[in-house]
Amino acid sequence: MRLIFLGPPGAGKGTQAQILRERFGAKQISTGDILRENRSNGTELGKLAENYMRGGVLVPDEVIVKMIEAELQQLQGGFIMDGFPRTVAQAQAFDALLHAQQTPLDAVVLFNADRDTLFTRLTARWTNPRTGRSYNTVTNPPRVPGIDDEDGSPLVQREDDKPETVRKRLDVYERQTAPLVEYYRASGKLVEVDALACVDDVTRELIRKVDALVHTAR
Ligand code: AP5
């Protein structure tokens, strides 16, 4: 399975990637998580990315593409790209990498949601920094506030989930990432899901549509 999850911040890409990763064993490659891990480890990449991420703007394409290239080199089997590509330049570079490896994409899943819902979801999100599992104090609260149901770790709120930064990230998506919808539609590999549905329904719709596309292509 080789998938891209495309959609605005807060649409549920990370939530669904985690579910599919556990169910099908494909590797979830979240550029945001890789950057955050580098930031906590104080690497050069982390230091470079820090100001961009804090401001809610994109890290430069060349940095991201190099990072993905390194990930692909270590990869065996399928992947779910969560948060990459985010610009047409990143998509073109990714196409070239996949072409060179002869590993074409199966599908690009577009998560559709409105801005007000995204804003509410992001400003109420709490995450386990160790596993990436995400909760929402409004729609999907943990059993004990601030504690992960699964492993008991303390949950944290992301710095870029402050209201003013969320607004900025949503603007950046519209300007720089939304053009990828037409880019991938033209490739015939785009499927769309209603990201406003509950988590289980989104998973069902996603699997059904990806399966249908893959079977038609065979
Ligand atoms: P990144 O970490 O990728 O953040 P994002 O794309 O902004 O996406 P999010 O993680 O915020 O949202 P999501 O769609 O995964 O939603 P989630 O499942 O968590 O990027 C952060 C930063 O890193 C960027 O701003 C940029 O600076 C940099 N960066 C990363 N990649 C880059 C790239 N390729 N190029 C350049 N820069 C890059 O869900 C959100 C909330 O909603 C959760 O609380 C969840 O529990 C809840 N929820 C999920 N699904 C549902 C549902 N169906 N119903 C109700 N609630 C739901």
Side-chain angles (χ1 to χ4, degrees), residues 49-100:
E50 172 134 34
N51 280 339
Y52 296 102
M53 296 175 81
R54 186 176 293 144
V57 297
L58 297 184
V59 174
D61 289 336
E62 57 276 17
V63 175
I64 297 289
V65 169
K66 211 186 277 176
M67 204 172 92
I68 287 293
E69 219 171 333
E71 288 291 319
L72 284 184
Q73 271 164 13
Q74 296 168 13
L75 189 69
Q76 288 174 342
F79 59 73
I80 302 166
M81 287 292 162
D82 164 14
F84 173 88
R86 257 169 145 107
T87 62
V88 171
Q90 290 181 17
Q92 288 167 338
F94 192 42
D95 280 350
L97 288 172
L98 294 179
H99 184 73

Side-chain angles (χ1 to χ4, degrees), residues 10 12-15 31 36 57 59 83 86 90 125 134-135 169 197:
K13 304 179 297 294
T15 301
T31 39
R36 276 184 289 278
V57 297
V59 174
R86 257 169 145 107
Q90 290 181 17
R125 169 168 63 180
S134 176
Y135 293 87
R169 287 163 59 206

Side-chain angles (χ1 to χ4, degrees), residues 97-134:
L97 288 172
L98 294 179
H99 184 73
Q101 290 192 171
Q102 298 183 307
T103 50
L105 283 174
D106 290 316
V108 178
V109 181
L110 172 64
F111 289 68
N112 287 316
D114 65 275
R115 192 174 168 109
D116 286 350
T117 306
L118 297 169
F119 183 82
T120 310
R121 279 189 187 173
L122 289 173
T123 49
R125 169 168 63 180
W126 288 76
T127 312
N128 177 337
R130 204 180 65 76
T131 64
R133 180 172 291 276
S134 176

